[in-house]
């Protein structure tokens, strides 16, 4: 199986970077590298596309993704299918970086909130063109899953009453 692992652009703290540092931190894609090595050891072909190396190209875009208004537009575009020319253009741009037809699986190693936005936009375009499976992993996905499970467990522990077994 041929697998492509994509590390979306990394933007760890947009508001801090915007105000103070004006630079982006680069992190080696350790998790993606471990996964690629594991897959190769098990007979698969794996390639890593590290878009965090291109963060400078996406600086303005990444900063624009960190706003409540953009989050709402993305929800409309990704979930509700509402058209948006700018997001459609961005999605096509990201998909162009991450996809070609020679892979059997596309995986995203998501390390930041902005990276998740980029991954979702790219995945939408890829899924419009092909039926290849798309999977998400990485620290941001793990964090989101943990937060969701905490909220879910909290909800059910307060809302569900477990009936006692009758004798």
């Amino acid at each position: 199986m041929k697998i492509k692992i994509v590390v979306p652009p990394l933007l760890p703290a947009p508001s801090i970077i915007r105000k103070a540092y004006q630079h982006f931190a680069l992190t080696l894609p350790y998790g993606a590298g471990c996964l690629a090595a594991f897959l190769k050891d098990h007979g698969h072909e794996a390639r890593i596309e590290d878009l965090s190396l291109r963060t400078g190209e996406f600086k303005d875009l990444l900063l624009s993704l960190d706003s409540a208004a953009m989050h709402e537009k993305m929800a409309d575009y990704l979930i509700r299918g509402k058209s948006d020319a700018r997001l459609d253009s961005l999605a096509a741009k990201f998909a162009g970086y991450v996809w070609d037809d020679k892979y059997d699986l596309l995986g995203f190693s998501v390390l930041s909130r902005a990276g998740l936005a980029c991954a979702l936009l790219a995945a939408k375009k890829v899924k419009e063109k092909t039926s290849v499976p798309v999977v998400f992993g990485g620290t941001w996905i793990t964090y989101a899953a943990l937060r969701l499970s905490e909220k879910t467990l909290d909800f059910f522990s307060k809302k569900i009453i477990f009936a006692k077994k009758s004798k």
Side-chain angles (χ1 to χ4, degrees):
M1 179 180 273
K2 294 181 181 181
I3 301 166
K4 187 163 192 182
I5 303 167
V6 177
V7 180
L10 179 63
L11 184 58
S15 57
I16 292 171
I17 290 169
R18 187 182 301 116
K19 292 176 184 171
Y21 302 105
Q22 297 299 316
H23 70 277
F24 297 91
L26 290 177
T27 303
L28 292 174
Y30 180 74
C34 290
L35 180 58
F38 176 84
L39 292 167
K40 287 177 182 179
D41 283 349
H42 287 82
H44 301 284
E45 182 181 321
R47 179 171 181 253
I48 299 173
E49 182 75 35
D50 187 1
L51 293 182
S52 65
L53 296 174
R54 299 175 183 261
T55 299
E57 294 177 38
F58 304 117
K59 178 181 176 184
D60 293 335
L61 163 66
L62 294 172
L63 291 173
S64 75
L65 291 174
D66 190 47
S67 71
M70 184 57 88
H71 291 186
E72 189 59 34
K73 283 183 181 182
M74 285 193 60
D76 285 343
Y77 178 76
L78 293 168
I79 299 167
R80 299 175 194 106
K82 191 174 180 182
S83 65
D84 184 295
R86 181 169 184 240
L87 286 175
D88 201 50
S89 173
L90 295 173
K93 183 175 184 175
F94 284 125
Y97 278 113
V98 304
W99 186 248
D100 57 56
D101 289 331
K102 65 181 178 183
Y103 294 97
D104 303 311
L105 180 95
L106 175 62
F108 288 95
S109 179
V110 181
L111 305 175
S112 70
R113 179 175 48 194
L116 177 59
C118 297
L120 290 170
L121 288 170
K124 177 179 174 53
K125 282 295 176 194
V126 168
K127 292 305 283 181
E128 288 175 0
K129 296 178 182 182
T130 180
S131 62
V132 68
V134 176
V135 296
F136 293 83
T139 54
W140 195 257
I141 299 299
T142 303
Y143 171 76
L146 288 173
R147 295 290 298 158
L148 177 62
S149 64
E150 286 174 12
K151 289 179 181 180
T152 304
L153 290 173
D154 186 52
F155 171 80
F156 283 112
S157 68
K158 292 177 181 174
K159 302 292 181 187
I160 295 178
I161 299 171
F162 294 95
K164 292 182 180 179
K165 289 184 181 180
S166 57
K167 293 183 179 181

